[in-house]
Amino acid sequence: MDTPTTLRISRPDDLLAVLPYRLGFRPRNSVVLLGLRGPRGRLGLVSRADLADVGDPATGTGLLRDIADLMHEDGARDVFVALYCDLPRDALAADPVVARALTHLRDVTGWADPPGPWVVGDRTYGLWGTAQECGPATGEVADLERGEVAATMVLHGLTVAADREHLGVPRTGDVQRRRHASRAAREARRDVAVVRARCGGGAPVPGAVFGLSDAVPAADQGEMEVWREGELRRWSALVAHARRGAALPADELGRLSAGLDDELVRDGVLCSVVGPPAAHLPGRDPVGGTLDLVMLAGAPEPDPVRVGPAEHVLRALAACVPRRAGAQALAVLAFLAWWQGDGARADVLAAQALRAVPGTRLAEIVGKLLAARLAPGWVHGAGNAPASGPPIR
């Protein structure tokens, strides 16, 4: 998520106000770290970790070292640290998780040395202070939420979810729209099943349906290729609608949900947002080719002009089709969120896709990227190594 270029931050309170907008949700029981780059302290990478993970006796220090490495690679000259916990301030020091997290932060990074870190509760906030016990609160969270910084963020169209789980895609309450989308999805699946049968199974890779990588398809795949091209045109038309701010027809979204179930269509959709068209990808594995575009250092940075309308279509689709039919759209949304550095949203969307259809491959890939602390390549600039970073979930 990009902070508006017109935003001016002059106080630590302003940083506390902007953090939920950078994350997209209101953190709880978390340690949030925001890199400050260059002599003017420009906002850099933001990373959130569970308070329990930072305070873990076995892995907490390793997690913070990973975060420190990524912050340094991003050019951070300093890191702003906020500890989010709803415990009363006079009870924080006695909580073993909080105490270990604070010790790890101070021992490993130095970013939370006294009087830091900042501590944000459900209603108040303030510095920890120089004593062992947490100091008194100095401000009201409500003032952060209605201040100038928050107003500027809202003016630029940014919103904050009530909590992390609200980062998923809710079902629309429009029953008529759901009915139209569901009927179109059923019809589209019947239609493509007929085409696939006539093409001997319609395997995306010749012979893959039989497990033979070098086999020749037993039936002409021409009709299947025409269908795939039609689905990609449908996708392009819907994205154009979204870019103009036009309404997205429920029946078209329903039919597209059937298209996304096809591996090549899904990856064509991904590539239309991430990089070159599908024809330019390595042929060995469509998903692997797409990952190559974004994993290597120096990879393209997300373009909001392309990403925004695409996400709008995918969210609208997942909101109105049956849950199982929306799994692939959710998985693509999860991948795009990871690519933009929004690990929390990526994690929630991937989990939502896997609840809808266990084993959804792209959602599993996103989960593995997050678990391995792999960041998209654009974070790291030029080079050849995959980017590694903290789990910002």
Side-chain angles (χ1 to χ4, degrees), residues 102-391:
L102 181 63
T103 298
H104 291 165
L105 279 164
R106 289 178 171 175
D107 289 350
V108 174
T109 70
W111 301 326
D113 288 347
W118 287 84
V119 180
V120 183
D122 58 343
R123 296 184 180 180
T124 63
Y125 69 91
L127 281 166
W128 184 282
T130 57
Q132 184 175 354
E133 300 293 324
C134 187
T138 56
E140 299 286 331
V141 172
D143 293 335
L144 301 176
E145 295 173 345
R146 56 175 175 249
E148 182 179 350
V149 169
T152 302
M153 304 300 271
V154 172
L155 181 65
H156 284 77
L158 300 178
T159 59
V160 176
D163 56 43
R164 187 175 178 279
E165 294 310 309
H166 280 78
L167 297 176
V169 180
R171 297 275 287 161
T172 179
D174 188 334
V175 176
Q176 191 73 6
R177 185 169 175 80
R178 291 208 309 263
R179 186 176 296 120
H180 282 299
S182 297
R183 182 171 60 246
R186 287 194 302 271
E187 293 172 353
R189 281 171 173 76
R190 285 197 297 266
D191 293 345
V192 71
V194 172
V195 173
R196 198 178 297 276
R198 285 200 293 260
C199 294
V205 179
V209 71
F210 306 108
L212 304 175
S213 60
D214 58 349
V216 177
D220 183 9
Q221 299 295 302
E223 191 176 0
M224 201 67 208
E225 292 172 4
V226 169
W227 173 81
R228 290 182 176 119
E229 291 169 0
E231 291 306 304
L232 290 174
R233 285 195 298 271
R234 190 189 313 280
W235 161 255
S236 297
L238 285 166
V239 170
H241 273 65
R243 191 172 288 117
R244 295 194 302 270
L248 302 177
D251 57 343
E252 287 295 284
L253 293 171
R255 296 195 71 84
L256 180 63
S257 72
L260 290 176
D261 285 341
D262 181 85
E263 186 178 90
L264 291 186
V265 173
R266 182 203 61 201
D267 288 303
V269 163
L270 257 182
C271 293
S272 72
V273 185
V274 170
H280 294 174
L281 292 175
R284 69 187 185 283
D285 178 0
V287 175
T290 305
L291 285 172
D292 283 348
L293 290 174
V294 298
M295 287 294 295
L296 297 181
E301 189 169 346
D303 179 0
V305 174
R306 295 169 69 182
V307 176
E311 288 185 319
H312 182 70
V313 172
L314 293 166
R315 292 183 73 88
L317 186 157
C320 67
V321 300
R323 287 183 175 83
R324 288 185 60 83
Q328 292 295 342
L330 291 166
V332 175
L333 280 168
F335 186 90
L336 294 178
W338 168 82
W339 180 43
Q340 294 171 86
D342 192 344
R345 191 179 302 272
D347 194 37
V348 170
L349 289 166
Q352 189 177 357
L354 290 169
R355 286 196 301 271
V357 178
T360 300
R361 185 184 178 202
L362 186 58
E364 291 181 334
I365 288 174
V366 172
K368 291 176 181 177
L369 291 171
L370 292 168
R373 304 177 189 174
L374 291 173
W378 61 266
V379 171
H380 294 256
N384 295 314
S388 176

Side-chain angles (χ1 to χ4, degrees), residues 33-107:
L33 305 102
L34 175 64
L36 303 174
R37 299 184 296 192
R40 299 178 63 184
R42 292 179 59 247
L43 303 188
L45 292 179
V46 62
S47 179
R48 188 209 70 88
D50 287 344
L51 191 58
D53 289 342
V54 177
D56 187 282
T59 61
T61 55
L63 171 60
L64 287 174
R65 289 191 183 97
D66 287 343
I67 294 176
D69 289 344
L70 188 60
M71 291 293 179
H72 291 317
E73 289 180 26
D74 187 54
R77 64 169 180 79
D78 197 4
V79 176
F80 182 82
V81 181
L83 187 157
Y84 288 80
C85 184
D86 291 344
L87 287 174
R89 292 178 70 87
D90 58 5
L92 287 171
D95 183 81
V97 172
V98 174
R100 284 196 301 268
L102 181 63
T103 298
H104 291 165
L105 279 164
R106 289 178 171 175
D107 289 350

